[in-house]
Amino acid sequence: MSMHLLQTIQYQQRPFTFKNTFTACRFFALTTLFNCVTTYAETGGNQLGLATPLRPFEEVKSLVFSDPYASLPQYEVSRKHFDINGENILLKHAQRTLSSDANFIELGTEHKLLQANGICFVGTWKMNQSSPYSGLFQPGTEVPIIVRASVSLSGTKQRDKRAFGMAIKLFPNAHSALTENIFLMHSLGGTKTKHVANLPMTNEPALGELPPFSQLLTAYRLESDLEKADKASSGKKANARFRPVSHLAAVKIGDAKPRLAQHTEESMLKLSISAPITSKEIEIEREADKKSEAEIKTDKQGPHWLKASLKPNTLLVNKDDFRDELSLQHYPNQALSWILSASNFNDAGIERAHWQEIGEIILTESVVSLTCDTRLHFNHPAIK
């Protein structure tokens, strides 16, 4: 019999003493504690934020869909909201829209002072046609998007003149909170129409009809303050009627943009959650974005104009409020698509644009929510 076996038999035959009992109990207690800690790490620990964090797109989507309305609100766009205690709040909001890259903001007012009533979507930006364009316009590009469709003034019904448009937020990098934003509208003054879904939208919308007489002064005030903010941001190139889309041509899928390296971890958190970046960071970004004309010609090529048109043969839904009309529950497969067409600049203007189909936006989920209307933010790109 080996020594090891002898020792084992001797241990098994050892008398059951108080000391042995204490040792066994201590071993059992430590084993139980280890199992509890392991179980907590696998289950309970996740409840305290140890789970895999949401990616930026999923985080934005989750917040936008977190607080749907029980019924449609009717926010009023009015001059009485533009000034508080002698401060021009409208101008302040317009300047923030041009300077802040944040995905969410705290308005400081009950609702947006412009484009107050809207509906939000999630979907896909898909470039499925051949074109000479680069970046996010490059053929084969497919990235997730968050979209907000809205009207400029208070009227949301078919009897109202509705200045309809869309803000589109693109997520080119799955791990970055930095997004790219563009804006498309049908007309600045609005139009009376049974449907809004089939109104073509561009980044240089027509003037359209005059706003309702009761809102003429409101419209003029909006135009004045938006022009002031745009001049401060874009200088001599300012054009409040036009929003550029060419910046998308410099972005590569999977890149966090060259200016991402200029952001600190703290400022990146601000982009994702609530607060705008500081003015110092904005200046750093602008310096990083500056390139010579030769560099621009060699590393990117984007269109001057972009147009979105409802996909042909799409069923039109007859609903009085545009938010009901666009709710995806009314459409086959609960989806809507707009064809995207692009054009280069010409001296004759957008009316003589030579449109080339380059892709589409496909919207697959919709919600009308408090966060959609009051916290979701789209940065207006400056004209460079």
Side-chain angles (χ1 to χ4, degrees):
M1 183 180 294
S2 68
M3 182 62 70
H4 175 74
L5 181 58
L6 177 62
Q7 289 175 345
T8 302
I9 295 174
Q10 288 176 345
Y11 179 80
Q12 291 174 343
Q13 294 175 348
R14 186 177 298 169
F16 194 73
T17 64
F18 177 79
K19 182 179 180 180
N20 292 339
T21 304
F22 175 77
T23 301
C25 290
R26 184 172 63 175
F27 176 77
F28 176 77
L30 289 174
T31 302
T32 304
L33 178 61
F34 174 78
N35 288 336
C36 289
V37 171
T38 303
T39 302
Y40 173 78
E42 294 175 350
T43 57
N46 290 344
Q47 297 174 6
L48 295 180
L50 298 180
T52 303
L54 293 176
R55 292 187 176 187
F57 168 73
E58 295 166 337
E59 179 184 339
V60 173
K61 174 186 173 182
S62 178
L63 289 173
V64 169
F65 280 72
S66 67
D67 48 9
Y69 296 118
S71 59
L72 293 180
Q74 200 69 43
Y75 296 124
E76 181 187 19
V77 177
S78 170
R79 284 181 300 147
K80 67 183 181 183
H81 301 305
F82 294 169
D83 301 280
I84 300 177
N85 298 325
E87 183 181 11
N88 188 337
I89 302 300
L90 175 62
L91 181 59
K92 181 179 178 181
H93 281 202
Q95 291 169 337
R96 179 177 58 192
T97 301
L98 287 161
S99 64
S100 173
D101 278 331
N103 290 323
F104 296 98
I105 59 171
E106 299 300 331
L107 284 174
T109 54
E110 181 182 355
H111 55 74
K112 290 179 181 289
L113 303 182
L114 178 65
Q115 313 287 145
N117 302 287
I119 177 172
C120 282
F121 307 88
V122 297
T124 303
W125 169 277
K126 189 174 184 179
M127 297 294 100
N128 52 17
Q129 302 293 327
S130 297
S131 79
Y133 304 121
S134 62
L136 294 178
F137 295 112
Q138 185 174 347
T141 298
E142 189 169 334
V143 297
I145 55 175
I146 299 287
V147 175
R148 183 174 186 264
S150 60
V151 292
S152 294
L153 300 178
S154 303
T156 63
K157 307 293 195 302
Q158 291 175 337
R159 64 177 177 271
D160 302 314
K161 288 182 180 179
R162 298 179 290 190
F164 177 71
M166 284 184 177
I168 303 172
K169 183 181 294 291
L170 297 92
F171 293 76
N173 187 305
H175 303 288
S176 172
L178 279 168
T179 59
E180 299 296 337
N181 301 265
I182 62 171
F183 297 82
L184 305 173
M185 287 193 70
H186 173 256
S187 65
L188 298 178
T191 183
K192 281 188 179 182
T193 180
K194 188 174 182 179
H195 305 101
V196 297
N198 60 344
L199 295 176
M201 298 168 285
T202 72
N203 60 319
E204 189 172 354
L207 293 176
E209 304 172 19
L210 285 174
F213 181 78
S214 61
Q215 293 189 295
L216 275 176
L217 293 179
T218 297
Y220 288 144
R221 171 66 187 278
L222 284 167
E223 181 181 8
S224 174
D225 281 6
L226 291 177
E227 285 182 353
K228 287 179 184 178
D230 198 34
K231 286 179 180 178
S233 177
S234 301
K236 293 181 180 180
K237 295 182 179 180
N239 179 359
R241 181 184 164 189
F242 172 79
R243 285 300 98 196
V245 296
S246 56
H247 58 288
L248 299 188
V251 182
K252 296 180 181 179
I253 300 176
D255 283 357
K257 304 179 60 176
R259 61 195 175 101
L260 175 60
Q262 306 294 338
H263 284 285
T264 64
E265 182 177 349
E266 179 182 0
S267 68
M268 287 300 296
L269 182 63
K270 291 179 180 180
L271 288 172
S272 177
I273 299 178
S274 61
I277 57 178
T278 65
S279 58
K280 183 178 180 180
E281 287 173 317
I282 294 168
E283 290 302 319
I284 292 174
E285 290 172 355
R286 288 175 179 168
E287 289 299 320
D289 281 342
K290 286 181 179 179
K291 297 180 179 180
S292 68
E293 290 185 6
E295 288 177 313
I296 291 174
K297 289 180 180 179
T298 57
D299 71 359
K300 69 175 184 177
Q301 183 176 359
H304 185 78
W305 289 301
L306 189 68
K307 179 173 67 174
S309 306
L310 189 65
K311 195 169 185 176
N313 302 319
T314 299
L315 171 72
L316 294 177
V317 174
N318 185 19
K319 295 288 184 179
D320 191 30
D321 193 290
F322 81 95
R323 293 166 291 183
D324 282 329
E325 176 193 342
L326 296 179
S327 178
L328 295 183
Q329 63 180 320
H330 303 307
Y331 295 89
N333 301 319
Q334 296 188 352
L336 272 175
S337 297
W338 277 263
I339 301 300
L340 294 176
S341 301
S343 174
N344 295 327
F345 178 78
N346 70 77
D347 291 332
I350 193 171
E351 292 79 10
R352 298 293 182 89
H354 299 286
W355 296 109
Q356 175 187 358
E357 184 177 326
I358 59 173
E360 63 181 318
I361 55 173
I362 307 165
L363 306 183
T364 53
E365 297 180 61
S366 64
V367 69
V368 183
S369 71
L370 183 64
T371 295
C372 170
D373 277 344
T374 63
R375 292 192 62 211
L376 183 62
H377 175 69
F378 295 82
N379 171 245
H380 285 241
I383 304 172
K384 298 179 180 181

